[in-house]
C-alpha cells in the first residue's frame, strides 16, 4: 500500500504545478500586467481581494488542521464534554465575516464608480466610435474623418473616450492590459474611458460570446507617441481616392480588386467620395499600414494575406468573406498574389506612387 499512499499525496502538487504552468502572468493579453491607470486600479482591487481571501483561507485551514491533529481518534477515549450554544463564539463568527465582506465591498464599489464614470468628452480627449460586427471591429475617429478596422491607434498623451455600439449581436470590448471589458449592445450607448501612457501594442479580444467566429474576433490597440499618431492620421488625408503604386503587380491587383467583386463589400477610400463598398464590412483604406489581418488573427504579410484570400473560412471558420477563386482556377495563384500585393501597398509610402484615379472615378476598369 505505500505505493498508493505516495501516489495519492503526489497528485495534488502535480496537478497544481500543471495548472500553474499554463499561466503566463506577463503575456500580451494578461490583466496581471497593467499598462494604464484603469487596468492598474482593477489589478489593485484584485490583489486586495486575493490577499484577503488568502488570509481567510490560512486562518480557516489552520484551525481545521489544529482540530484534526489535536482531536484525532486514538488519543482520547473519553467522551468530550457535551455543550450547547456558545454566545461569544457565535457573535464572533457573525461579526468577523461581516467585517471581511465590508473590507471587500467598499474598495470594490469605489473602483467600480471610479472606472465606470461616464465623461463628457472635452477637446483634449480622443473620441473613437467603436462598432462590433460579427466578427470584426470598426473604429471611427470623427475628429480626423478616419474609418478603420481591427486596429485602434491612440496617442500616448491623450485620454481616449470610446463610444461602444454593436451592429448585430452582443459583443464585449476587452483590452486586458489597458482597461476592463465593457459590453457592446445594439442601440445602447456604452462608454469606456482609458489612457495608454506607454507606447506599445496591446492585445484585444471580444469577451462576449457572439456565435461563429467569436474566438477569432480580436484586435490591437497601438499606442504611440503623439507625433507618430498624427503622422498615421495624416496618411488618411487621401483626397478622394487611395493612391495606387506604379508597380505592375500592384496595378494588376487594383484591377482585380474591382473585377473580383471585392468592392461590393470593401472600400479603400473611407466612404468620402465613391459609392464603393458598404459600411457593414471592413474599410480597407491604408490596409498596408495594419499589422494584422482577419481581425488580428494573423500577422499582415504577403504569405498570410494570400492564404486568407484563397480560403478565408479555413483560417476563420464561419466568417462572411467568401473564397473568390475556385480550387481549379489556373490563374488563382497569380491573381491572389496581385490582390495581396495591392492591399499591402495601401498607405505605404512609395516614391513611384501615381494617382491612378482622381475625384470620384473608381473601380470598374
Ligand atoms: Cu464579438 Cu464575441
Amino acid at each position: 500500500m505505500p505505493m498508493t499512499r505516495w501516489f495519492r499525496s503526489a497528485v495534488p502538487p502535480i496537478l497544481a504545478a500543471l495548472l500553474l504552468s499554463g499561466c503566463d502572468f506577463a503575456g500580451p493579453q494578461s490583466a496581471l500586467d497593467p499598462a494604464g491607470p484603469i487596468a492598474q486600479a482593477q489589478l489593485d482591487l484584485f490583489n486586495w481581494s486575493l490577499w484577503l481571501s488568502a488570509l481567510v483561507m490560512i486562518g480557516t485551514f489552520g484551525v481545521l488542521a489544529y482540530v484534526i491533529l489535536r482531536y484525532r481518534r486514538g488519543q482520547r477515549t473519553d467522551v468530550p464534554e457535551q455543550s450547547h450554544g456558545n454566545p461569544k463564539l457565535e457573535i464572533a463568527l457573525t461579526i468577523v465575516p461581516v467585517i471581511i465582506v465590508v473590507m471587500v465591498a467598499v474598495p470594490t464599489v469605489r473602483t467600480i464608480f471610479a472606472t465606470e464614470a461616464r465623461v463628457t468628452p472635452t477637446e483634449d480627449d480622443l473620441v473613437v466610435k467603436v462598432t462590433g460586427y460579427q466578427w470584426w471591429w470598426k473604429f471611427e475617429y470623427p475628429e480626423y474623418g478616419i474609418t478603420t478596422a481591427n486596429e485602434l491607434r491612440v496617442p500616448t498623451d491623450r485620454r481616449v473616450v470610446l463610444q461602444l455600439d454593436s451592429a448585430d449581436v452582443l459583443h464585449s470590448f476587452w483590452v486586458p492590459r489597458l482597461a476592463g471589458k465593457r459590453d457592446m449592445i445594439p442601440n445602447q450607448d456604452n462608454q469606456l474611458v482609458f489612457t495608454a501612457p506607454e507606447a506599445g501594442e496591446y492585445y484585444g479580444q471580444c469577451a462576449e460570446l457572439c456565435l461563429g467566429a467569436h474566438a477569432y474576433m480580436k484586435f490591437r490597440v497601438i499606442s504611440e507617441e503623439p507625433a507618430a499618431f498624427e503622422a498615421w492620421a495624416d496618411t488618411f488625408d487621401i483626397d478622394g481616392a487611395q493612391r495606387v503604386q506604379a508597380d505592375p503587380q500592384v496595378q494588376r491587383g487594383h484591377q482585380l480588386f474591382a473585377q473580383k467583386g471585392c468592392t461590393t463589400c470593401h472600400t479603400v477610400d473611407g466612404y468620402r467620395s465613391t459609392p464603393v463598398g458598404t459600411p457593414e464590412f471592413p474599410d480597407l483604406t491604408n490596409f498596408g499600414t495594419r499589422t494584422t489581418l482577419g481581425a488580428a488573427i494573423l500577422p499582415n504579410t504577403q504569405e498570410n494575406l494570400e492564404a486568407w484570400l484563397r480560403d478565408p473560412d479555413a483560417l476563420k471558420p464561419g466568417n462572411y468573406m467568401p473564397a473568390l477563386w475556385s480550387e481549379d482556377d489556373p490563374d488563382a495563384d497569380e491573381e491572389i498574389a496581385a490582390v495581396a500585393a495591392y492591399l499591402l501597398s495601401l498607405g505605404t509610402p512609395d516614391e513611384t506612387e501615381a494617382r491612378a484615379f482622381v475625384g470620384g472615378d473608381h473601380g470598374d476598369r
Side-chain angles (χ1 to χ4, degrees):
M1 283 309 177
M3 206 44 201
T4 322
R5 209 153 78 212
W6 175 88
F7 183 73
R8 274 206 204 124
S9 56
V11 166
I14 290 174
L15 266 181
L18 280 176
L19 282 173
L20 283 173
S21 66
C23 302
D24 182 358
F25 295 116
Q29 206 159 292
S30 173
L32 301 176
D33 185 19
I38 303 265
Q40 185 64 54
Q42 288 164 343
L43 181 63
D44 291 346
L45 178 64
F46 171 78
N47 282 336
W48 170 248
S49 319
L50 182 73
W51 291 119
L52 206 59
S53 311
L55 268 180
V56 171
M57 193 188 80
I58 290 168
T60 315
F61 280 81
V63 170
L64 186 68
Y66 171 78
V67 170
I68 288 174
L69 293 174
R70 176 76 178 77
Y71 298 104
R72 71 176 184 273
R73 204 173 153 191
Q75 286 204 338
R76 294 177 59 151
T77 51
D78 57 320
V79 176
E81 187 195 335
Q82 302 297 299
S83 64
H84 174 72
N86 185 332
K88 273 187 202 159
L89 187 65
E90 282 165 19
I91 289 170
L93 286 179
T94 307
I95 289 177
V96 171
V98 169
I99 292 174
I100 294 171
V101 168
V102 169
M103 284 170 78
V104 176
V106 170
T108 301
V109 172
R110 208 184 273 161
T111 307
I112 287 174
F113 278 90
T115 56
E116 200 189 37
R118 289 186 73 86
V119 300
T120 306
T122 69
E123 273 188 6
D124 295 335
D125 296 328
L126 176 70
V127 177
V128 183
K129 184 171 169 3
V130 184
T131 312
Y133 289 83
Q134 286 176 315
W135 290 272
W136 61 281
W137 311 79
K138 178 153 78 181
F139 298 116
E140 293 167 282
Y141 299 67
E143 182 186 335
Y144 295 87
I146 292 173
T147 301
T148 186
N150 303 327
E151 209 163 280
L152 176 64
R153 295 229 181 194
V154 297
T156 51
D157 65 336
R158 289 174 79 179
R159 189 170 70 162
V160 182
V161 179
L162 301 180
Q163 290 167 345
L164 303 172
D165 199 358
S166 167
D168 36 50
V169 298
L170 300 186
H171 302 276
S172 185
F173 184 95
W174 191 31
V175 195
R177 294 192 60 209
L178 290 177
K181 56 189 82 156
R182 181 119 326 143
D183 281 358
M184 305 168 79
I185 302 164
N187 302 318
Q188 179 170 318
D189 183 22
N190 275 359
Q191 197 188 55
L192 184 69
V193 182
F194 72 93
T195 321
E198 294 166 39
E201 195 181 4
Y202 304 98
Y203 284 42
Q205 166 73 47
C206 179
E208 172 80 43
L209 181 61
C210 51
L211 308 175
H214 154 73
Y216 296 101
M217 188 171 165
K218 298 164 180 288
F219 62 102
R220 293 279 195 276
V221 175
I222 296 176
S223 165
E224 48 193 7
E225 298 300 326
F229 173 79
E230 293 296 334
W232 170 79
D234 283 347
T235 64
F236 282 81
D237 192 9
I238 51 176
D239 188 25
Q242 183 104 60
R243 286 155 188 257
V244 181
Q245 294 175 3
D247 180 287
Q249 192 188 28
V250 169
Q251 296 272 340
R252 172 97 178 105
H254 177 242
Q255 271 178 353
L256 286 162
F257 189 72
Q259 283 168 8
K260 297 300 273 187
C262 308
T263 49
T264 311
C265 300
H266 300 288
T267 184
V268 292
D269 296 333
Y271 305 104
R272 261 173 280 197
S273 57
T274 50
V276 164
T278 127
E280 301 299 311
F281 294 99
D283 186 317
L284 300 182
T285 305
N286 287 343
F287 181 80
T289 65
R290 292 193 201 153
T291 60
T292 61
L293 66 89
I297 61 169
L298 285 171
N300 196 14
T301 63
Q302 175 81 21
E303 193 188 359
N304 287 340
L305 193 49
E306 286 180 19
W308 170 257
L309 291 168
R310 193 179 303 276
D311 190 358
D313 207 59
L315 295 173
K316 187 169 175 174
N319 87 93
Y320 293 132
M321 169 135 161
L324 296 170
W325 286 268
S326 61
E327 273 176 35
D328 53 1
D329 186 339
D331 300 324
D333 287 351
E334 176 259 323
E335 292 186 357
I336 287 172
V339 172
Y342 165 63
L343 290 172
L344 286 174
S345 77
L346 295 173
T348 55
D350 185 336
E351 291 293 317
T352 60
E353 74 188 5
R355 190 173 289 271
F357 299 103
V358 180
D361 184 15
H362 189 286
D364 295 327
R365 329 182 181 183

